[in-house]
Amino acid sequence: MKKRTVTWIMASLMVLAGMPAQIVLAEESELTDFTIGYAGLDESQEHLVPVGENIEKVAAEKSEELGIDIKVVKVDNAGDGAKAVENVDNLILQGIDVLVEFNSDAAVNDTIWQKCQDADIPVIAVDIPVGDAPYMGANNELAGQLCGEALANLANEEWDGQIDAILFEHTPEAGETVQIRMDSIWDGLAENTDYTREELEAMTTTVSMDDDAILAQQLCADFLTANPDKNHILIGSINDIGAQGAFAAVQAAGREDDVFIVNHGVSVSTRENLYNQENSGETNCWRGGVSYFLERYGEYIVPGCIELVQGKTPDAESLLMDHIYIDVNNIEEYYPQSEWAQ
């Protein structure tokens, strides 16, 4: 990790009143080989795999650039808090120098933080806070506002601004920080429609779909069945899993004219849906997503790790991801089909 160069500076002082000369200890840090432990959120979710891949890619690039060896040890939290705690124990035993923690079970993150504190290992928290660790990931308020703005624009353009009901497909167990990206959808809607935030909240139903597309489909189907007379329904999803399930439910119910869907994230299923619209020349009710550029997380994380192992604190703004709403009109600019289609 860091090579500590300890320099003793002897101050030659006159010994007065029997007091000894003072010794000043100065410490400098020199960057050498180090190991990043990356605890991924859930490698079974295809849209999350690029995070670890990009960390490895950037670590290799920085190794060559700096003339050092930056190793990456990856483990899978599998969306399970107990597994995440077990993983950090194993990573500490393997001698990592910095932990990158991506864990959706916010309830155990304080435990993970304390374990790293006890082991003198710095931490970067990805998307969900971990103790007082530097936070890398979503600008949740901005992302939520962009999602709400996109839904508002669709309602304004297609329905003359009318909204009858709102459905949020969510995973509340991710904690308060992720909750911000859902709550901020109301802000984006209120700023771009004639409805107040209070009115929008009152017409919103939130369901917990547990990152399960089949459950998300069933929950949306139940919502549509309970609201047969609603013809202007906006659906916002925490990710493309919820959006995919909601879209399937809307199609099965024959309610595409009654619904618009926008989700957080532009992962595989969101991109493929947009490519289908682009290729067919026909839009459907699932109109787009707010990109988090998971495939670029390493560009933020690895430089932050380098600063941490040198005893520095990364600038908070340097760790926040940019966000852009992506639909059929700009998908080729950010995710060209020739490069990203499955």
Side-chain angles (χ1 to χ4, degrees), residues 6 16 27 69 92 105 138 141 150 162 204 211 276 295 303:
V6 180
L16 301 173
E27 185 177 56
D69 182 20
I92 290 171
D105 188 351
E141 186 173 344
Q162 185 174 345
T204 299
D211 282 339
N276 288 337
E295 69 280 357

Side-chain angles (χ1 to χ4, degrees), residues 113-130:
W113 168 251
Q114 191 58 54
K115 286 177 177 289
C116 289
Q117 286 289 97
D118 294 343
D120 196 27
I121 293 173
V123 180
I124 286 183
V126 180
D127 275 350
I128 298 101
V130 179

Side-chain angles (χ1 to χ4, degrees), residues 3 7 22 34 91 111 129 137 155 204 212 221 237 257 266 273 290 300-301 327 332:
K3 184 167 82 177
T7 305
Q22 298 183 17
F34 71 93
L91 288 170
T111 299
T204 299
D212 184 330
S237 176
D257 290 342
V266 184
N273 173 57
V290 177
Y300 296 71
I301 289 169
D327 62 8
E332 287 297 327

Side-chain angles (χ1 to χ4, degrees), residues 14-305:
M14 295 295 293
V15 179
L16 301 173
M19 296 179 64
Q22 298 183 17
I23 297 175
V24 180
L25 180 64
E27 185 177 56
E28 299 174 351
S29 295
E30 179 182 339
L31 184 66
T32 60
D33 300 348
F34 71 93
T35 299
I36 298 171
Y38 171 59
L41 176 58
D42 186 349
E43 295 299 293
S44 71
Q45 295 188 28
E46 189 173 12
H47 71 284
L48 296 172
V49 173
V51 178
E53 292 177 342
N54 193 238
I55 290 172
E56 290 179 314
K57 176 177 180 289
V58 177
E61 293 171 349
K62 288 295 183 181
S63 294
E64 184 174 353
E65 175 187 330
L66 298 171
I68 61 174
D69 182 20
I70 304 175
K71 289 179 58 180
V72 179
V73 178
K74 297 196 301 183
V75 295
D76 183 8
N77 287 335
D80 181 80
K83 181 67 173 177
V85 173
E86 178 185 328
N87 279 338
V88 76
D89 286 333
N90 290 334
L91 288 170
I92 290 171
L93 287 174
Q94 291 183 60
I96 64 167
D97 299 304
V98 59
L99 173 69
V100 177
E101 183 64 39
F102 197 177
N103 172 41
S104 60
D105 188 351
V108 303
N109 279 347
D110 282 345
T111 299
I112 290 171
W113 168 251
Q114 191 58 54
K115 286 177 177 289
C116 289
Q117 286 289 97
D118 294 343
D120 196 27
I121 293 173
V123 180
I124 286 183
V126 180
D127 275 350
I128 298 101
V130 179
D132 295 325
Y135 170 91
M136 181 276 146
N139 184 334
N140 289 291
E141 186 173 344
L142 172 62
Q145 289 171 350
L146 288 173
C147 186
E149 180 181 343
L151 288 166
N153 288 341
L154 289 166
N156 291 334
E157 293 165 6
E158 304 289 340
W159 297 337
D160 197 27
Q162 185 174 345
I163 303 171
D164 298 332
I166 299 169
L167 175 66
F168 283 174
E169 294 263 13
H170 190 23
T171 52
E173 60 273 12
E176 294 179 5
T177 300
V178 175
Q179 183 68 44
I180 293 170
R181 75 180 67 163
M182 295 303 290
D183 291 348
S184 296
I185 294 176
W186 289 319
D187 295 325
L189 284 166
E191 290 170 7
N192 294 279
T193 66
D194 292 332
Y195 296 93
T196 66
R197 174 167 169 148
E198 290 72 23
E199 290 171 330
L200 293 162
E201 289 184 31
M203 67 174 75
T204 299
T205 299
T206 299
V207 296
S208 178
M209 53 88 181
D210 198 29
D211 282 339
D212 184 330
I214 295 175
L215 177 58
Q217 180 176 349
Q218 183 59 57
L219 291 168
C220 183
D222 292 345
F223 175 82
L224 294 173
T225 300
N227 293 278
D229 57 337
K230 301 291 194 304
N231 305 119
H232 308 91
I233 300 170
L234 300 179
I235 299 178
S237 176
I238 191 66
N239 55 31
D240 64 337
I241 298 172
Q244 185 177 17
F247 184 50
V250 172
Q251 287 183 307
R255 300 279 298 272
E256 284 200 63
D257 290 342
D258 299 343
V259 175
F260 284 122
I261 304 169
V262 173
N263 57 281
H264 288 283
V266 184
S267 301
V268 175
S269 58
T270 305
R271 294 197 300 267
E272 290 301 310
N273 173 57
L274 292 176
Y275 294 147
N276 288 337
Q277 294 181 49
E278 180 182 24
N279 295 337
S280 68
E282 297 181 0
T283 57
N284 58 45
C285 68
W286 183 6
R287 288 299 179 91
V290 177
S291 184
Y292 285 67
F293 299 107
L294 294 173
E295 69 280 357
R296 291 181 50 210
Y297 267 33
E299 298 172 22
Y300 296 71
I301 289 169
V302 176
C305 289

